[in-house]
């Protein structure tokens, strides 16, 4: 079956602009996660959804970052007033039910803020 | 500051050699996982260890969880070019915790 997909694969934007990154989880997976991976580092947790609700958003760095999952499937990570420090690969993962289940990662969106 | 430190950061070896990658922390983890990530792709889970002292084998890969559940190691026997990639350890501080803490990564290159 299809894995986790993310669009776009690459996004280049200018400082101060607004961006949206999309994640399509594996069909039927209720848990969804966003991570950020900076160059040379391991992924860093941002937010976790269980169904439509954000069960844990403790990893969001500041209020410029926001994520939604209105129908419990596709999720969008939104970044306002982008800064150069936001440049990274944004990874999405999904798991069947709970946060203890195996997480399946998408290929990521590489965001570059000029 | 990352909770899990991996060493070495980079490793380049000849095909057929053995290697060990280490994942260390001052914190106790309820479980630890190892992932491999290739360029342009997301991490792929290799193994999960949950019991202190546990050893798991996956073909030529051997994973060990430290007795105190603060560290782990990954040993590869007779490395092959297909083993090339970024190896990441990741752990949960509590059972069922949402937050998965990833290590700093070890980039392995196996030269044919």
């Amino acid at each position: 079956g299809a894995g986790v997909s993310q669009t776009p694969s690459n996004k280049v934007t200018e400082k101060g602009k607004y961006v949206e990154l999309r994640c399509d989880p594996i069909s039927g997976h209720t848990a969804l996660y966003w991570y950020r991976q900076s160059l040379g580092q391991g992924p860093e947790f941002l937010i976790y959804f269980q169904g439509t609700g954000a069960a844990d958003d403790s990893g969001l760095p500041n209020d410029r970052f926001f994520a939604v999952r209105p129908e419990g499937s596709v999720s969008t990570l939104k970044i306002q007033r982008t800064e150069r420090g936001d440049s990274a690969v944004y990874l999405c993962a999904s798991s069947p039910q709970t946060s203890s289940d195996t997480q399946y990662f998408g290929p990521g969106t590489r965001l570059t803020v000029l | 500051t990352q909770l899990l430190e991996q060493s070495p950061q980079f490793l380049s070896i000849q095909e057929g050699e053995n290697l060990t990658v280490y994942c260390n922390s001052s914190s106790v983890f309820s479980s630890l996982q190892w992932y491999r990530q290739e360029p342009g792709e997301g991490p792929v889970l290799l193994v999960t260890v949950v019991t202190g002292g546990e050893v798991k084998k996956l073909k030529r890969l051997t994973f060990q969880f430290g007795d105190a559940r603060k560290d782990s190691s990954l040993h590869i026997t007779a490395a092959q070019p297909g083993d090339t990639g970024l190896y990441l350890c990741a752990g949960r501080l509590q059972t069922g915790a949402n937050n998965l803490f990833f290590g700093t990564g070890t980039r392995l290159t196996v030269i044919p």
Side-chain angles (χ1 to χ4, degrees):
Chain A
V4 177
S5 62
Q6 293 185 243
T7 54
S9 55
N10 281 284
K11 176 69 177 179
V12 180
T13 190
E14 294 179 343
K15 180 175 176 295
K17 299 289 189 182
Y18 168 82
V19 296
E20 290 188 352
L21 311 179
R22 176 187 167 110
C23 171
D24 280 85
I26 293 173
S27 178
H29 282 193
T30 60
L32 185 145
Y33 316 79
W34 284 98
Y35 293 84
R36 178 169 70 176
Q37 186 172 22
S38 300
L39 191 64
Q41 299 291 320
E44 178 186 20
F45 169 80
L46 296 177
I47 187 169
Y48 159 63
F49 286 89
Q50 182 58 249
T52 60
D56 183 350
D57 64 358
S58 61
L60 294 178
N62 52 60
D63 61 6
R64 295 187 297 104
F65 289 74
F66 189 71
V68 295
R69 195 186 185 198
E71 298 179 357
S73 179
V74 171
S75 176
T76 305
L77 178 65
K78 309 181 181 193
I79 310 174
Q80 299 178 319
R81 304 183 303 280
T82 52
E83 300 177 357
R84 292 195 178 87
D86 298 334
S87 296
V89 174
Y90 289 81
L91 293 165
C92 176
S94 70
S95 65
Q97 292 183 336
T98 72
S99 58
S100 296
D101 293 332
T102 297
Q103 297 185 22
Y104 297 88
F105 284 82
T109 293
R110 180 175 297 278
L111 175 67
T112 303
V113 182
L114 300 176
Chain B
T1 304
Q2 300 230 215
L3 212 54
L4 287 163
E5 294 288 336
Q6 289 184 235
S7 61
Q9 187 178 358
F10 297 96
L11 187 56
S12 181
I13 62 171
Q14 294 290 330
E15 181 177 0
E17 292 184 350
N18 302 332
L19 66 112
T20 303
V21 175
Y22 299 93
C23 173
N24 295 292
S25 178
S26 57
S27 299
V28 176
F29 288 87
S30 66
S31 65
L32 241 154
Q33 298 178 321
W34 283 91
Y35 291 80
R36 187 171 78 192
Q37 184 177 22
E38 300 193 26
E41 298 181 8
V44 175
L45 179 66
L46 297 174
V47 76
T48 300
V49 285
V50 298
T51 305
E54 182 177 1
V55 176
K56 279 192 173 179
K57 292 192 176 184
L58 184 66
K59 297 183 181 178
R60 293 176 295 101
L61 278 60
T62 301
F63 306 86
Q64 184 163 7
F65 200 9
D67 290 341
R69 305 205 315 278
K70 293 183 178 182
D71 55 84
S72 181
S73 63
L74 158 60
H75 182 78
I76 301 179
T77 303
Q80 299 177 0
D83 296 328
T84 294
L86 178 66
Y87 288 83
L88 295 159
C89 63
R92 284 193 172 88
L93 291 175
Q94 296 175 336
T95 301
N98 306 317
N99 199 342
L100 192 61
F101 290 95
F102 277 85
T104 48
T106 295
R107 188 164 298 281
L108 172 66
T109 302
V110 181
I111 303 166

